[in-house]
Amino acid sequence: MELDNESWFELYHVHLDWEGVGNGSVHIRKEHIKAYLALYKRVLTQLNMLEKPFQSWVLLDNKDSGQDAVYIHTPNPNRDNFPLKVEELNWDCNIPTFFSDLIELKEFNVAHYKSESKGWYIIQSKRQVNKL
């Protein structure tokens, strides 16, 4: 992905496991999470070169690996929704065993979001200025 200072994103996201293959195996899910973290680090490197604010994070779904994604969000011409704020995030959560050994807690914050129908984990760099 090539970015320049004209680039903008409105909750743009990339799924690596559309088919939900990771749902059938913890080992495969962990490999996908490793790939998401590698992609996220690469995206952060590129976004840090821009001269505009941004938010980026990894979303992991409790039950469906097909919903896992890396997100990018910036000021955009569609809506005045930057920075995105998610009030329901619990940044003091327990990290599930299916990915706890993959997260470097010195580098990342982890939050849990739970609504009546969804349970998601958010992984975000501690260095990111615009937190969710």
Side-chain angles (χ1 to χ4, degrees):
M1 171 170 40
E2 289 191 35
L3 303 177
D4 61 39
N5 285 315
E6 301 302 313
S7 299
W8 59 267
F9 302 91
E10 183 184 11
L11 297 171
Y12 174 83
H13 56 284
V14 175
H15 297 278
L16 301 177
D17 184 18
W18 269 114
E19 301 297 320
V21 175
N23 293 333
S25 164
V26 172
H27 174 73
I28 293 171
R29 181 91 189 257
K30 283 185 165 197
E31 292 303 312
H32 285 140
I33 293 170
K34 287 179 194 176
Y36 281 112
L37 292 172
L39 175 61
Y40 178 57
K41 288 176 184 180
R42 184 172 167 214
V43 164
L44 286 177
T45 297
Q46 292 179 338
L47 288 169
N48 280 320
M49 291 189 280
L50 294 181
E51 297 172 3
K52 66 169 54 179
F54 67 87
Q55 291 174 298
S56 188
W57 62 93
V58 177
L59 180 143
L60 300 177
D61 190 288
N62 280 356
K63 297 179 181 172
D64 185 2
S65 65
Q67 296 301 311
D68 296 350
V70 173
Y71 279 78
I72 303 171
H73 189 59
T74 66
N76 64 81
N78 291 340
R79 287 189 282 171
D80 182 19
N81 62 351
F82 184 89
L84 185 68
K85 294 290 183 191
V86 181
E87 300 298 327
E88 298 86 5
L89 288 176
N90 174 8
W91 290 99
D92 188 30
C93 66
N94 293 323
I95 302 172
T97 56
F98 77 90
F99 71 89
S100 62
D101 59 330
L102 305 177
I103 304 299
E104 178 55 56
L105 293 177
K106 291 180 183 175
E107 187 176 357
F108 300 110
N109 290 315
V110 178
H112 183 254
Y113 171 83
K114 184 171 174 137
S115 71
E116 289 183 27
S117 61
K118 297 286 184 186
W120 296 323
Y121 286 90
I122 302 294
I123 301 168
Q124 197 170 38
S125 170
K126 288 187 180 223
R127 290 189 221 149
Q128 195 166 167
V129 174
N130 293 292
K131 303 238 187 283
L132 288 175

